[in-house]
Amino acid sequence: MSQLKQVAIVGATGAVGAEMIRCLEERNYPVGSLKLLASARSAGKKLKFKGEDVVIEELTKDSFKGVDVALFSAGGGISRDFAPAAVSAGAVVVDNSSAFRMDDSCPLVVPEVNAEDVKKHQGIIANPNCTTAISLMALYPLHKAFGVTRVFASSYQAVSGTGAQAIEELARQSREWAKQDRAWDAAKLDSKPQVYPWQIAFNVLPHVDSFLDTGYTKEEMKMENEGRKIMHHPGFRASVTCVRVPVFRAHSVAISAEFEKPISVEAARAVLEKAPGLDVIDDPANKLYPLPLEIAGKDNCAVGRLRMDCAMDNGLAFWVVGDQLLKGAALNAVQIAECL
Ligand code: NAP
């Protein structure tokens, strides 16, 4: 990776974009020049890269001349409209949105799972759903050893997964509650929520993404659909309930997984301890288990609460936590760029 790359970030001012800048810096990605792109609202503002000011430019179809790698993180519509222009200009696109994830011509990659798939790209490589990527960091090594058949899971997803405005909504609602010096049982605020359909502070919302006719949400089906593609496991089944919680950063997922081969807690722990990008924090007697507050800002995901699932014949229950702005988005995208 000695050759310098001309890199562009689309959505550089967003929650993920900011982390992409940081990941390129911290991982010493060989950036020759960095182009920061966002909407007209941000054009002319500056962000720092390696101590230098970089002026943000408005994204247009002509933004990609001379760009080698374009990291897209500005929503599916923008990716659909502008990624083809980036590819035509000769760039390889790593896309954070869901626009191309299930497109057969676009590899969907978690480097610890299927880095080889990067080679099959035709210009666009998709970055997986954050909850799926974090779950697979623990599930895939277990699958390789014991053969997963299906999972039942519930997610506890941080507001930063929805972007910068949702972070502000939780902060604003928390401040509003504190200012009014309310009693604990008067947590319902007068102000109207703007990002989520219901107040997120002091609440949990069993609603992430839009509902399908089946009653599941689109987000909930990503674990099965994207999990099958990433693990090359077409028979994988996942029944998931995704929940938004008043946590700023890092998603948690409670998973019960059923396996083909006999599994034990000891054998699972031995596998997970060797898994790349994953820490095992599993000492409940000493109150040690992965927590979003502790994992926020860290590259590695963490797994704990390992136990035999008492409602399955050959199942393991566990708890995975990962910083979704990093492993679920920016870090994974930069790792993909490194694979190139
Ligand atoms: P965000 O904080 O709301 O940021 C959105 C970014 O898109 C901003 O930089 C914004 O620029 C830019 N943008 C909006 N409209 C634009 C336009 N017309 N032209 C050019 N740029 C435009 O959102 P985010 O959380 O970073 O998410 C970005 C993408 O990553 C989404 O597709 C999301 O699904 C995906 N993703 C997010 C996460 C996560 O944890 N947040 C995880 C995985 C994937 P302005 O500041 O100029 O408006």
Side-chain angles (χ1 to χ4, degrees):
M1 233 178 30
S2 54
Q3 228 188 338
L4 293 181
K5 302 280 184 201
Q6 316 314 314
V7 180
I9 299 179
V10 178
T13 51
V16 174
E19 295 300 326
M20 284 174 160
I21 297 172
R22 219 163 52 86
C23 286
L24 289 172
E25 226 172 64
E26 282 179 4
R27 297 176 71 83
N28 223 6
Y29 187 83
V31 177
S33 70
L34 182 64
K35 196 174 245 203
L36 300 182
L37 301 164
S39 75
R41 293 178 291 275
S42 307
K45 293 182 190 163
K46 291 174 188 156
L47 287 171
K48 292 248 183 254
F49 177 66
K50 293 197 170 170
E52 302 283 326
D53 281 336
V54 182
V55 179
I56 298 162
E57 296 171 42
E58 181 183 356
L59 170 68
T60 71
K61 294 205 166 142
D62 299 323
S63 297
F64 301 99
K65 201 163 169 262
V67 169
D68 299 309
V69 179
L71 307 176
F72 270 67
S73 190
I78 300 285
S79 295
R80 268 186 292 272
D81 288 350
F82 291 89
V87 174
S88 297
V92 178
V93 168
V94 182
D95 182 39
N96 239 301
S97 78
S98 55
F100 302 106
R101 287 182 191 151
M102 299 314 295
D103 184 326
D104 286 342
S105 66
C106 301
L108 178 65
V109 176
V110 176
E112 290 82 354
V113 177
N114 61 333
E116 282 293 298
D117 286 352
V118 166
K119 289 185 193 148
K120 297 180 207 150
H121 82 82
Q122 298 170 32
I124 301 176
I125 302 163
N127 215 30
N129 164 256
C130 43
T131 304
T132 303
I134 289 164
S135 300
L136 291 186
M137 292 299 288
L139 188 61
Y140 181 69
L142 294 172
H143 167 56
K144 269 207 307 194
F146 308 106
V148 69
T149 54
R150 58 179 182 160
V151 301
F152 297 91
S154 293
S155 70
Y156 303 69
Q157 299 187 208
V159 294
S160 52
T162 315
Q165 289 179 343
I167 299 170
E168 183 43 39
E169 179 143 303
L170 175 57
R172 185 171 31 75
Q173 291 176 351
S174 307
R175 280 195 299 267
E176 184 181 334
W177 184 83
K179 263 194 216 137
Q180 292 173 357
D181 200 17
R182 283 163 178 258
W184 69 270
D185 56 352
K188 206 164 167 195
L189 300 169
D190 300 328
S191 69
K192 289 255 168 307
Q194 283 158 22
V195 176
Y196 296 115
W198 301 96
Q199 179 183 322
I200 183 64
F202 317 108
N203 210 359
V204 294
L205 312 182
H207 178 181
V208 179
D209 210 337
S210 48
F211 284 97
L212 301 165
D213 291 343
T214 56
Y216 284 97
T217 65
K218 280 188 185 168
E219 179 88 354
E220 288 165 352
M221 293 316 298
K222 288 172 186 170
M223 181 93 81
E224 178 169 288
N225 296 333
E226 297 185 21
R228 286 177 174 182
K229 182 168 174 180
I230 299 164
M231 294 194 287
H232 298 260
H233 183 0
F236 173 64
R237 299 178 71 190
S239 173
V240 182
T241 303
C242 287
V243 183
R244 188 72 63 189
V245 295
V247 163
F248 279 110
R249 187 167 171 157
H251 288 359
S252 309
V253 196
I255 302 179
S256 283
E258 184 181 64
F259 296 91
E260 274 165 9
K261 295 184 195 156
I263 192 165
S264 67
V265 169
E266 294 68 32
R269 184 174 288 121
V271 165
L272 293 169
E273 277 171 349
K274 289 192 209 114
L278 185 75
D279 296 327
V280 178
I281 305 175
D282 190 30
D283 185 5
N286 287 308
K287 304 183 187 68
L288 290 176
Y289 26 71
L291 295 168
L293 263 184
E294 303 302 318
I295 300 303
K298 298 205 169 97
D299 284 355
N300 276 9
C301 296
V303 64
R305 296 293 321 277
L306 303 187
R307 59 209 189 274
M308 295 306 288
D309 191 292
C310 66
M312 286 183 191
D313 287 338
N314 189 37
L316 187 80
F318 52 98
W319 171 254
V320 199
V321 181
D323 187 327
Q324 94 293 339
L325 287 172
L326 293 175
K327 190 59 205 170
L331 170 65
N332 201 70
V334 172
Q335 284 178 303
I336 291 172
E338 288 168 354
C339 293
L340 289 166

